Amino acid sequence: MNYKYFAVICTIWVLCSCTKMDHEYAPYLKDGEIIYVGAPYNLEVHPGKGRIELQFTQSKDPNIVKYIVYWNNRSKNLEVAPDKSSTVQKVMITNLAEQEYTFEIVALDKDGNRSTPASALISGQALDNNYEGQLFTRSATLTNSKKGLSVELVSVDTTCKYTVITYKNGAGQQVQKKIVNGAALADTLTDIDPLATSVNLKTAYVPAKGIDTFYAQKTESLNLSAGRYVCTGSMVDVTNAALTGAYPWNVTLRQTGARTLELYDEDYTKDVYHWIKSNGNNSNYGQFGVVFNMDDQYNIISVINKYGQPSGNNRSGELDPSGINKFDPATRILKVKYWMNENGVHRTSFDEVMTMK
C-alpha cells in the first residue's frame, strides 16, 4: 500500500470529522461556554395547612447568592438567600390551595449562572379542610361501671399524636384528659358525673413529615345503662327441661346506638349470644342474641334478636310486659323479662336482674 496516499486520506477524514463535530455543537457554543452552579439536593416536602415547607441540602459552591423556588408551571416563584449558618435550607411556601404541587429549586451564583435545569424537582401536597374532614377520632368503646366510665381505645399509627377526652365531673366542672399513648389501652374516668350523658373526643394528627396539626372531633352520647354487669335470674325452656340458665353470668350491655344495647356474653361465647346450660354443660342458643331498645327514661321498650326477627332458624326476641323492664340510674340495676320465640311461639322465658359492677 502507498503510505503517502493513506496519510492523505486520514488527514481528510480527520478534517471532515472535526468540521462535522463543530457543526453539531456550534449552537451550544455560539454564546460562549455555559457554566452551571451546584444544584440543591436531598429535597424534602413537609405538608402543612395551606402551606408547604421545602427542605434541601445546599450546594457547597461558595458563589451561590440565592435560590429561586418555582411552582405552578413557573408562574409563581419565591427568592431566598442561602442560609450561611447551616448546610440545610428550609423554605416556607404559604397561601396555597389544597392540592398537589411540583416545585423546582434553582441556584444562582453572583454572575447569574444557574444550576442545571430540572435538576431539583420535588412534588408535595398542601392540606386543608378536605384532608381534615376525612380524619376520624380515635375509636373508643365507652362503658359505665360503679367506678366510673371505662374507656377502651384502639391502637393508632404514629400520625395520631394524642386524644383529648372532655367531660364533666361530679362537681359539674369541665375536665380534659389527654391520652398520648398510641397503643391499645383501657382507662377509667373515675371522677365523671355518674349521670353524664355525653363525652367529647378530639384526636390530633400530624401527617408524615408534616408541620401542622389537624383534628377530628365528635361528641359521643352515653347510655347510662351501657356497662358491665353480673346477671342473675331464671329461665324456662318449655320444650326442653334439660336447658337451664347459666347464672350468675358476667355480661356487658354494649352500646350500639344512642338507646340500643346488645347483651354480650363475657363468660362462654365471648359474643352476643345467650349463655345457657344443657344438662349442666355450657351451651348457647344458636342464632339468638339479645338486643334491648330503650326510651329516654331508660325504660326497655322492646327486645329483639340481633340475628333477625326472625333469624334463619326462626328465632326472635320479644319483651314480656309483665316485667319491670327498666334501668335505674341511681342503683345501676336493670330488671327485664323477655321471651325467645321460635316459629312464632314463646319457647323460652327469661326473668333477669343485671347489677352493674
Side-chain angles (χ1 to χ4, degrees):
M1 180 177 180
N2 191 320
Y3 289 100
K4 291 182 179 180
Y5 288 117
F6 178 73
V8 171
I9 292 171
C10 289
T11 302
I12 294 172
W13 179 80
V14 170
L15 290 173
C16 291
S17 298
C18 291
T19 301
K20 183 179 180 181
M21 291 173 61
D22 290 345
H23 176 74
E24 289 179 350
Y25 287 98
Y28 300 96
L29 300 174
K30 65 178 181 177
D31 296 324
E33 183 183 4
I34 299 177
I35 299 174
Y36 291 112
V37 301
Y41 57 100
N42 291 338
L43 277 62
E44 291 185 10
V45 170
H46 302 159
K49 190 166 188 176
R51 60 180 186 163
I52 287 177
E53 181 186 75
L54 301 177
Q55 178 180 302
F56 56 88
T57 300
Q58 302 180 94
S59 168
K60 295 180 180 180
D61 189 336
N63 294 317
I64 292 176
V65 294
K66 66 179 175 181
Y67 295 98
I68 303 179
V69 181
Y70 294 98
W71 68 97
N72 281 4
N73 294 319
R74 283 191 165 229
S75 65
K76 300 283 188 180
N77 68 81
L78 177 66
E79 295 186 7
V80 293
D83 185 350
K84 301 296 185 181
S85 64
S86 174
T87 59
V88 176
Q89 176 91 344
K90 294 183 179 182
V91 180
M92 189 70 70
I93 313 296
T94 59
N95 299 318
L96 295 175
E98 186 172 12
Q99 64 183 50
E100 187 85 11
Y101 293 88
T102 297
F103 299 94
E104 180 183 5
I105 306 172
V106 178
L108 286 87
D109 68 11
K110 60 184 179 181
D111 296 320
N113 298 310
R114 294 173 168 244
S115 53
T116 309
S119 59
L121 293 173
I122 193 167
S123 296
Q125 189 174 20
L127 307 173
D128 212 328
N129 295 331
N130 289 335
Y131 170 78
E132 197 164 50
Q134 296 173 12
L135 300 175
F136 293 94
T137 57
R138 187 173 179 179
S139 181
T141 300
L142 308 174
T143 52
N144 286 291
S145 69
K146 288 186 177 180
K147 295 179 180 179
L149 181 70
S150 173
V151 181
E152 295 183 6
L153 296 167
V154 300
S155 62
V156 288
D157 62 29
T158 55
T159 63
C160 178
K161 299 305 178 183
Y162 60 86
T163 296
V164 175
I165 304 176
T166 303
Y167 59 95
K168 286 187 177 180
N169 63 16
Q173 301 167 324
Q174 184 169 285
V175 178
Q176 290 189 332
K177 185 162 190 175
K178 186 175 183 179
I179 299 174
V180 178
N181 190 338
L185 60 87
D187 198 1
T188 300
L189 308 180
T190 57
D191 60 340
I192 192 170
D193 180 356
L195 299 180
T197 57
S198 66
V199 296
N200 182 268
L201 300 174
K202 185 176 183 179
T203 301
Y205 292 88
V206 176
K209 296 185 178 180
I211 56 174
D212 290 320
T213 304
F214 297 82
Y215 299 95
Q217 183 172 243
K218 69 176 179 179
T219 298
E220 288 278 12
S221 297
L222 297 178
N223 187 321
L224 296 181
S225 56
R228 292 185 172 90
Y229 293 81
V230 174
C231 178
T232 57
S234 62
M235 70 164 264
V236 176
D237 187 318
V238 297
T239 68
N240 188 345
L243 300 180
T244 58
Y247 306 108
W249 177 27
N250 293 301
V251 300
T252 295
L253 289 182
R254 194 162 62 184
Q255 186 171 349
T256 57
R259 297 172 186 167
T260 304
L261 302 168
E262 58 185 16
L263 183 60
Y264 178 87
D265 169 22
E266 292 184 356
D267 287 335
Y268 175 54
T269 65
K270 308 295 183 182
D271 206 342
V272 184
Y273 289 105
H274 204 293
W275 183 31
I276 60 175
K277 295 286 186 175
S278 177
N279 286 316
N281 299 313
N282 289 328
S283 186
N284 66 279
Y285 284 118
Q287 296 187 44
F288 181 69
V290 178
V291 177
F292 299 127
N293 293 310
M294 313 180 89
D295 63 17
D296 57 2
Q297 299 300 310
Y298 297 101
N299 296 298
I300 299 174
I301 56 177
S302 70
V303 176
I304 62 173
N305 181 6
K306 178 177 180 175
Y307 304 103
Q309 285 283 99
S311 60
N313 58 0
N314 292 312
R315 289 173 176 169
S316 60
E318 182 183 349
L319 182 69
D320 180 348
S322 68
I324 295 176
N325 302 330
K326 185 178 179 65
F327 170 75
D328 185 345
T331 62
R332 303 281 177 120
I333 293 175
L334 181 147
K335 297 179 180 180
V336 62
K337 292 178 71 174
Y338 57 97
W339 292 289
M340 182 190 77
N341 296 335
E342 189 167 292
N343 297 316
V345 298
H346 302 327
R347 170 180 168 174
T348 306
S349 64
F350 300 92
D351 186 355
E352 297 175 335
V353 176
M354 301 184 196
T355 304
M356 188 176 288
K357 295 180 181 179

